[in-house]
Amino acid sequence: MTATKDVSLHHCDDGFVGVLNSRFERAMLAGRWAVWLYRLSHAAYKARIPIVPYLIQMLNGWLHGCEIHYMARIGNHFEIAHPRGVVVGRNVEAGERLKLYTGVVLGVKHTGVPLQPRIGSNVIIYAGAKVLGGITIGDNVAVGANAVVTEDVRPDVFVAGIPARVVGQRDPGTGRRRNRRIGPNPCPPRAATDHALARCATMRAPRPIASTPERQHHLREHP
């Protein structure tokens, strides 16, 4: 009885501590604080307070390893999963529900040309992706990890690769992928791959070299 009671109390303590830790971790997420500091710097910029916006931007970079320019215009429900390495340029414009992962860069394509991306709503950009130049990314777009996007992207698609190209459709309601590939170089149909594998399985081994008397005599003289 005592052992059972002690175990149950131990589980209760673990559950309470687990819930407390979980709530604390959610409140202290680095991405959440990075977004909050960006909002604060942007508000100070709009209020025409000198120096302070840049100082807050520098503080954000020092604490979280990201550089989100205080002049960037980003809509509501902006999220950063992991802020390390995230760079957002001063002329970037984005709609609501933009989500970035670590290492994402939104900036210029060429030095001295201040053109930067315009991004729609409900866009997800995965780790290491680069969106460069004065291009437009449509609504409900997902950019794959390590992709390099330098051309306009139409709405409701997945893009990936270097350079990025369309690899699938994205459902506007669920955000999930509708089909695996719709761009050029589609995957071969299953019947074609099965036929190729069957041919490989039935291929005969190369014929052995005939052992003629002349060849045996040559091998004896030239071992």
Side-chain angles (χ1 to χ4, degrees), residues 87-89 92 98 100 104-108 116-117 119 125 131-132:
V87 178
V88 179
V92 170
L98 172 66
L100 306 180
V104 168
V105 176
L106 310 178
V108 299
Q116 295 182 357
I119 300 172
I125 305 178
V131 183
L132 308 175

Side-chain angles (χ1 to χ4, degrees), residues 207-221:
R207 295 180 179 179
I209 300 176
S211 179
T212 60
E214 293 80 4
R215 178 170 177 77
Q216 294 179 2
H217 177 72
H218 177 77
L219 292 176
R220 283 196 298 268
E221 293 185 351

